[in-house]
Amino acid sequence: MADTHFPPQTFVVATGGKKCKPSVLDPRIRLVKPDGTPWQGDPPDVTVSWDAVTGKPTTLPPTDGSVTTAKLADNAVTKAKLGSDVVIPDAYTLPPAGTAIGGVKKGTAVPDTETGDAATVATVAASLNALLASLRAAGVIAGS
């Protein structure tokens, strides 16, 4: 049954400032929590180790906002982690070189053509044929 004759008084707990000498008229009070246990004041800052945190994520998203090959390979960046409004296009496949604009492929190395007195029709033709074969093998020019 609640006591309505003596409503609770509000006391302000202040720290610091001017101290005064208690007098006979000062009320005697005891501060308690709602459960009746003694009030100890505001708790100090508490430091909790990361290992003691429960419910933490097992994989954290990148904090620097970057997306690197290593992060992608390690599944640190996924569509689910980026959000539902993110559009990730399909992987791009470079089309082969051909009549349409496509990739430029690297052919095999062909030695330089001999010059000067040592050059013959046969050596120049062999060098040219090696170059053409390299370009065909790379798909840069069509086969003959």
Side-chain angles (χ1 to χ4, degrees), residues 1 10 29 33 36 40 43 56 73 84 86 99 111 144:
M1 177 165 131
T10 302
I29 61 170
K33 298 179 193 175
Q40 300 294 325
K56 63 188 173 200
S84 60
V86 175
T99 56
S144 56

Side-chain angles (χ1 to χ4, degrees), residues 39-50:
W39 183 72
Q40 300 294 325
D42 292 329
D45 290 340
V46 176
T47 302
V48 178
S49 73
W50 180 248

Side-chain angles (χ1 to χ4, degrees), residues 55-108:
K56 63 188 173 200
T58 56
T59 304
L60 299 176
T63 56
D64 61 359
S66 67
V67 177
T68 63
T69 303
K71 289 177 183 174
L72 291 171
D74 197 25
N75 291 327
V77 180
T78 63
K79 184 174 182 174
K81 291 178 185 175
L82 293 174
S84 60
D85 59 337
V86 175
V87 176
I88 299 177
D90 294 330
Y92 178 75
T93 302
L94 184 66
T99 56
I101 295 175
V104 177
K105 297 183 177 182
K106 183 177 181 180
T108 58

Side-chain angles (χ1 to χ4, degrees), residues 15-39:
T15 58
K18 185 177 177 183
K19 294 184 180 182
C20 64
K21 185 177 179 182
S23 81
V24 177
L25 299 177
D26 288 339
R28 294 186 62 194
I29 61 170
R30 182 170 60 101
L31 299 176
V32 295
K33 298 179 193 175
D35 65 1
T37 59
W39 183 72

